[in-house]
Amino acid sequence: MSKNRKVDNKSAIKKTSQDIPEELQEIEEDLTNYNPEIFKGVPQKKKVEILHSLSVVSIQHRSHSGPLPDPETLIKYNSVIPNGADRIMKMAENQQAHRISIENRVVASQSAQSKLGQVFGLIIGLVGIGCGTFLAATGEPTIGGIIAGGTVVSLVSVFVIGKSAQRKSLEE
């Protein structure tokens, strides 16, 4: 007499899991959930060996973002290199001080360049308007008006374009 019995996959796993140490059962469940036929045809002894080797092999992936390592890594540096964590902190502090000094020099340079540009613009404007006025007073009003007017229009357009570019740069 043969009886047809439906074997539940999970109950079969539980029956064979009794021979597997408790700490390895979670690994087996994860693998079996991932691929139910992964241990199909594998003898129980070999299955325990595979699970044990998987529990021994520990794969870790760490990700860190920032200028300094995480505290655990700093502690490890300290154990390998005398005062390693302190040296790394000093290096980060020196780098930050260096960056700040460069930024200060850049800002000061840009400010000086801007002032110099304004001074030269004033000189060019005064010379252009002065020459145009001189020419208009000496009997050449058309040429004097073109030179003086052209100077004023040029300086105003450079100022407006410069402010527009500066505003765009600040937005970026």
Side-chain angles (χ1 to χ4, degrees), residues 112-125:
Q113 190 177 19
S114 177
K115 286 178 186 174
L116 195 59
Q118 289 175 351
V119 168
F120 283 140
L122 175 67
I123 291 170
I124 291 170

Side-chain angles (χ1 to χ4, degrees), residues 102-122:
I102 287 175
E103 288 173 6
N104 286 340
R105 279 188 261 153
V106 167
V107 168
S109 171
Q110 287 176 342
S111 178
Q113 190 177 19
S114 177
K115 286 178 186 174
L116 195 59
Q118 289 175 351
V119 168
F120 283 140
L122 175 67

Side-chain angles (χ1 to χ4, degrees), residues 59-74:
I59 299 173
Q60 290 183 350
H61 173 75
R62 284 189 172 181
S63 179
H64 176 74
S65 176
L68 293 173
D70 57 284
E72 293 84 22
T73 306
L74 282 175

Side-chain angles (χ1 to χ4, degrees), residues 125-141:
L126 290 176
V127 169
I129 292 171
C131 288
T133 304
F134 175 76
L135 286 172
T138 59
E140 298 291 337

Side-chain angles (χ1 to χ4, degrees), residues 5-7 21 23 30 51 65 68 73 77 95 106 119 121 125 130 139 146-147 151 153-154 156 161 163 167:
R5 283 191 288 166
K6 194 174 186 181
V7 177
E23 64 270 8
D30 289 343
L51 291 171
S65 176
L68 293 173
T73 306
Y77 273 112
Q95 181 64 29
V106 167
V119 168
I146 291 172
I147 291 175
T151 301
V153 168
S154 298
V156 168
I161 290 170
K163 281 295 181 185
R167 201 173 292 122

Side-chain angles (χ1 to χ4, degrees), residues 14-26:
K14 286 182 182 177
K15 287 177 186 173
T16 58
S17 294
Q18 293 170 354
D19 300 333
I20 298 174
E22 200 172 301
E23 64 270 8
L24 301 179
Q25 287 180 8
E26 189 176 320

